[in-house]
Structures are given as structure tokens and as C-alpha cells.
Amino acid sequence: MTHQIHIIGGGLAGSEAAWQLAEAGFRVKLSEMRGAPVDKGGEMTPAHQTDGLAELVCSNSFRSDDADSNAVGLIHQEMRTLGSLILREADIHKVPAGSALAVDRDGFSAGVTAALTAHPNIEIVRERVDTLPDSGPVIVATGPLTAPALADQIGGATGKDALAFFDAIAPIVHHDSIDMDVAWMASRWDKGDTKDYINCPMTRDEYLAFHTGLMEGEKTEFKEWEDVPYFEGCMPIEVAAARGVDTLRYGPMKPVGLDDPRTGRWPYAVVQLRQDNASGTLWNIVGFQTKLKHAEQVRLFRTIPGLQNAEFARLGGLHRNTFIRSPELLDATLRLKARPNIRFAGQITGCEGYVESAAIGLLAGRFAAAELGGAAMTPPPVETALGALLHHITGAAVAETYQPMNVNFGLFPPITGRTKKADRKKMYTERARTALGVWLAA
Ligand SMILES: Cc1cc2nc3c(=O)[nH]c(=O)nc-3n(C[C@H](O)[C@H](O)[C@H](O)COP(=O)(O)OP(=O)(O)OC[C@H]3O[C@@H](n4cnc5c(N)ncnc54)[C@H](O)[C@@H]3O)c2cc1C
């Protein structure tokens, strides 16, 4: 079969993109290195264990399936509406998990593999791809564990420093969950008129208790392949804290130049948060990258004054992760601006999670199908979960501090006015459904 588009990587994103294109009537070549013979470069990633397409490398959960008050549940619903293969197979292979959508991982992967194998428009080629094709439409969906030779090629095509190798991530907090009666906006030494940071003050006792919590908190154990040296500038906070009780007060928790408006003095220590998206709904805790277990992070970080009710859009973590600086490099339909025949999809674009990776694969597939059919496709509106996630990746996020991100309401245009949080979530999802309907009708 001569193909019309080449998809590299048969994970969550590549499988979904292949399905969307094939269903639209286009012939797809899908290259996957797992299961390839040795002379075709066959190899596993450090996390995959089978040669099944769309293998889930860690948990078996697609998270909440509540489409009324949860952003990931909403994106499930939107993907179902758009004929997602990943959601179809997830629903078929669902296992009991309360309000979450969890799957039998083997049945799920087998179902996706069977559907793609049986599709007359798809040819699955078991091979490792080491070079980016020079011409013809391509979707790169090789994930966070892209094989090294291709990763080098991508680095060359995007500019060497644009391909980020990232080991530690810091938590991100929803702005509306920060207590601004305790925290205050200021820049250190109040330079100019800018008040760029949210500052959370700590007394000596609070700081010492926090330090002890960091030392004693339960840490995630890592597989051997994740045991890479830390970059000094991206060191987990508990590793820095272990160097001495005052290390953090001379580092990310430095109080100098920050007058607390309630006392007129510098606190004993300060936790700073920096804006993380253009609309200011999300803020990251500066220097707080960590490998503490998630429950431990929530418990400990809520002891920080001002963050006692913090809701986290993303918690910290530590694993090897390859992704590109998408907000700078990709256009609104996921094409590499420098080489528009190449689209990127999945976690390599800087989204985070199975569902998000498949969602971006779905959009990449649809954009490519529209282009092959000679029509332009308008991206979904930012009021939808698909549109909000895409918008974040392709422009809304700050390129210099861009980090992997799950879908969450902080990515949506804010709903303002005095409403209860539960009502506000419903307002987001209802607005999204209306917007998706209008977009589909158009
Ligand atoms: C260790 C780890 C644990 C994770 N745990 C979770 C979790 O529990 N829940 C969650 O929601 N998300 C998790 N993620 C994040 C992420 O959502 C998944 O990695 C997700 O699978 C990403 O989808 P993807 O399609 O972008 O990449 P993948 O699903 O990884 O698919 C990429 C595919 O490309 C293939 N490939 C790579 N290089 C080449 C090449 N040169 N030629 C041909 N094929 C190639 C790979 O073999 C793979 O099949 C985890 C990530 C990692 C690394």
C-alpha cells in the first residue's frame, strides 16, 4: 500500500491519529519500533513491556470520567463525540473504579492493536525510525521515551536547545485556591512597579516543621533507568534540604527583600509562586520540584501559610521526559513551523498523561486529514477541553518555563463573578459542550 501519511510511534497518540486519518479515508503507514526484528532496530523503551500498540506504561487509569465537573472527564466526552478509538476501547475494556475510567490494560492494548491491524487504510510497520522524513506529511508521536537517534534528529530540526530533557517538575497551584489574605504579590526588593510573584510567609517554627516534613516525607522510588544525575538548577527540594537546615533559606525560600505588608518585615522564609499561564489561573511553586509521593506533597505543601487550601493542577515528579518547546515551535495545528510537513502529537508536545496524549493525537490526525483533503480545519474553541489543551500547547503557555501539563480548568478562559466552586465547574463544562456543538455544526 502506498501511504499518504507516515505516523512514527504507535503509542496513545500515534494510534489515535492513525485511526482518525484512516476513518477519514486516508492511507496511513504507522511505524512502531517495539516488536520490530533486530535488523529493523527493534527495541523496547525503558518503560514499555510488550509490543502492543497503545500500551499503558504505568497506571491503568484514564482518571475521572465525570464530564460535568472534571476537565479530564469532559475531554473523554469530547473525544467520544469525535469518534476516538482510544476511548472506544477504554469503554469496552473498562474495570470497576468508582467514577474513574480504568481499563484492563492488556485487553485495551489488544483491542487498539486489533482495530488498527484490521483497518484497510492502515499498514503497521514494525521498525525503528532514526531520521525525520524529508518530505511528505508526517506525524511524530514517539512519546517521552523517543529513541535516542530520532531524538537527536528532532533536536536538529527544532534547534538544539529547543528539545528539553527534563527530570524534575514542580507543583502547579490553581490561583483561586491561594489565600491572598495571607500571601501577597511582590517582587524581591520591589524592583520597579512589578509585583510578579505571590509570596507565602513562614515563621521560624513553620519553616523548621516544613524542613522536617521534607526530610521525613515518603519519596517515590525510581527504576534504575530513571536514576539520572540531577541538574543543579533543577534539584528536588528535599535533596537540597538534606544539605543543611538553612540551605533552602539561602535558595528557593530566601526571604531577603520581601517585606510582608502585615508586619513591614522580612519573614523567616518565603515560598514564592510564579505565573504559569497567560491568563494567570495557574501558578507554579518556584524551586519546589520534588520526588515526594503525591499524597505527601499535598499534605506538606498545604502546611505553607496561604496554601492551606491549595488545589493542585499538577503535582511534582521526577522522570525522564523528552518534549519540545511547543508554544514556540508549533503552529496552531501542531505543525512544526520550520518544517510544516511534520506534525507532532502526544506527550512529546508537552501535554501530560494518557488521555491528553491521545487527545492531541486525535487533533493531529484530524488536522492532517483536513489538509490532505484540501480543506483547512479550525482548531476547536478554547472553551472546549480539547481546544484549551491545544491552545496551551501551541501558544498560551510561557515558552521559557513550559512544562508537561494535564488538562485542567486553569487552561480554560476563566469564568468570573462570584460563584461557588462546584457551580463554576459545571459552568465550565456546560459552556464547553455548547462551544463544541457550535464548532461541530460549523
Ligand atoms: C515511566 C512513565 C510512567 C507514566 N505513567 C503514566 C500514568 O500512570 N498515567 C498517565 O496518564 N500517564 C503516564 N505517563 C505519561 C504519558 O501519558 C505516557 O507516557 C503516554 O503513553 C504518552 O503517550 P504518547 O503516545 O505520547 O507516547 P507513548 O505512549 O510512549 O508512545 C510512543 C511510541 O513511540 C515508539 N517509539 C519511540 N521512538 C520511536 C522510534 N524512533 N521509531 C519508532 N517508534 C518509536 C514507542 O515504542 C512508543 O510505542 C507516564 C510516562 C512515563 C515515561
Side-chain angles (χ1 to χ4, degrees):
M1 181 175 83
T2 53
H3 61 272
Q4 293 165 287
I5 183 159
H6 185 185
I7 299 177
I8 309 173
L12 276 298
S15 297
E16 184 66 62
W19 180 255
Q20 294 291 330
L21 276 148
E23 285 289 278
F26 298 102
R27 296 185 303 281
V28 180
K29 172 180 166 185
L30 177 60
S31 297
E32 170 52 57
M33 70 180 184
R34 291 176 293 116
V38 177
D39 63 339
K40 296 275 183 194
E43 61 175 287
M44 286 287 166
T45 75
H48 288 82
Q49 300 192 336
T50 75
D51 61 9
L53 301 179
E55 178 186 333
L56 305 179
V57 289
C58 191
S59 93
N60 67 332
S61 175
F62 286 72
R63 317 201 305 280
S64 172
D65 203 26
D66 173 0
D68 289 329
S69 56
N70 190 292
V72 76
L74 178 66
I75 211 168
H76 289 170
Q77 188 178 61
E78 293 178 358
M79 291 171 73
R80 287 183 183 108
T81 306
L82 294 178
S84 163
L85 173 68
I86 294 297
L87 263 291
R88 185 188 89 181
E89 293 300 320
D91 287 336
I92 292 172
H93 298 282
K94 187 175 166 156
V95 296
S99 61
L101 174 59
V103 303
D104 172 318
R105 70 175 68 242
D106 294 332
F108 165 77
S109 172
V112 172
T113 307
L116 296 178
T117 306
H119 204 295
N121 285 339
I122 298 176
E123 181 190 10
I124 300 167
V125 180
R126 298 287 181 165
E127 60 177 358
R128 193 184 69 216
V129 177
D130 289 340
T131 52
L132 282 173
D134 283 333
S135 58
V138 177
I139 296 178
V140 178
T142 43
L145 305 166
T146 296
L150 188 65
D152 278 351
Q153 281 264 316
I154 295 168
T158 55
K160 272 289 174 206
D161 68 344
L163 184 66
F165 287 86
F166 193 73
D167 16 273
I169 53 177
I172 292 184
V173 177
H174 286 280
H175 183 268
D176 61 5
S177 69
I178 302 171
D179 184 349
M180 293 305 290
D181 290 336
V182 176
W184 81 99
M185 296 285 306
S187 292
R188 204 176 293 280
W189 303 113
D190 270 337
K191 278 193 190 138
D193 285 334
T194 54
K195 295 186 183 302
D196 286 345
Y197 287 83
I198 293 177
N199 300 281
C200 301
M202 273 188 172
T203 63
R204 183 170 184 275
D205 286 350
E206 286 164 344
Y207 175 80
L208 293 177
F210 181 75
H211 185 271
T212 305
L214 280 177
M215 293 295 84
E216 293 176 355
E218 213 184 332
K219 323 283 187 307
T220 306
E221 297 303 327
F222 289 96
K223 290 187 190 169
E224 199 185 316
W225 59 269
E226 284 172 314
D227 192 19
V228 289
Y230 308 123
F231 286 116
E232 205 55 23
C234 203
M235 181 182 296
I237 188 165
E238 60 277 0
V239 176
R243 292 180 172 179
V245 71
D246 277 330
T247 304
L248 296 178
R249 290 211 316 126
Y250 289 95
M253 297 177 74
K254 187 166 60 179
V256 295
L258 291 167
D259 295 331
D260 184 340
R262 290 174 310 170
T263 62
R265 299 169 61 90
W266 300 347
Y268 190 76
V270 171
V271 174
Q272 290 201 300
L273 291 93
R274 187 176 46 219
Q275 187 168 339
D276 202 73
N277 66 344
S279 63
T281 51
L282 301 173
W283 290 69
N284 73 67
I285 315 186
V286 180
F288 269 46
Q289 52 276 1
T290 177
K291 57 177 182 174
L292 285 174
K293 288 206 161 160
H294 282 182
E296 199 72 4
Q297 290 183 41
V298 174
R299 189 195 61 73
L300 187 62
F301 296 158
R302 282 186 181 158
T303 66
I304 298 168
L307 301 187
Q308 63 276 12
N309 299 316
E311 297 218 352
F312 295 90
R314 194 199 61 205
L315 286 160
L318 195 77
H319 59 76
R320 189 186 130 196
N321 208 329
T322 300
F323 63 98
I324 59 171
R325 220 183 286 277
S326 297
E328 194 174 292
L329 296 171
L330 302 185
D331 72 11
T333 69
L334 298 163
R335 287 183 306 195
L336 189 62
K337 288 175 193 165
R339 287 173 67 175
N341 67 312
I342 298 173
R343 274 195 165 78
F344 281 84
Q347 180 130 352
I348 198 166
T349 66
C351 63
E352 167 94 7
Y354 304 141
V355 179
E356 289 82 349
S357 298
I360 295 301
L362 182 153
L363 289 174
R366 286 200 162 224
F367 285 132
E371 204 171 272
L372 285 167
M377 180 180 127
T378 316
V382 287
E383 290 79 11
T384 64
L386 284 166
L389 182 63
L390 178 72
H391 182 58
H392 176 75
I393 290 168
T394 59
V398 180
E400 292 71 36
T401 56
Y402 187 54
Q403 293 182 3
M405 175 69 78
N406 285 130
V407 67
N408 66 83
F409 290 128
L411 303 181
F412 292 56
I415 286 179
T416 48
R418 293 180 79 81
T419 42
K420 282 200 238 130
K421 191 171 282 176
D423 293 344
R424 203 155 61 231
K425 288 180 177 171
K426 249 186 144 16
M427 287 162 81
Y428 276 117
T429 57
E430 278 166 12
R431 184 180 67 176
R433 277 187 280 275
T434 306
L436 189 75
V438 172
W439 177 69
L440 283 173

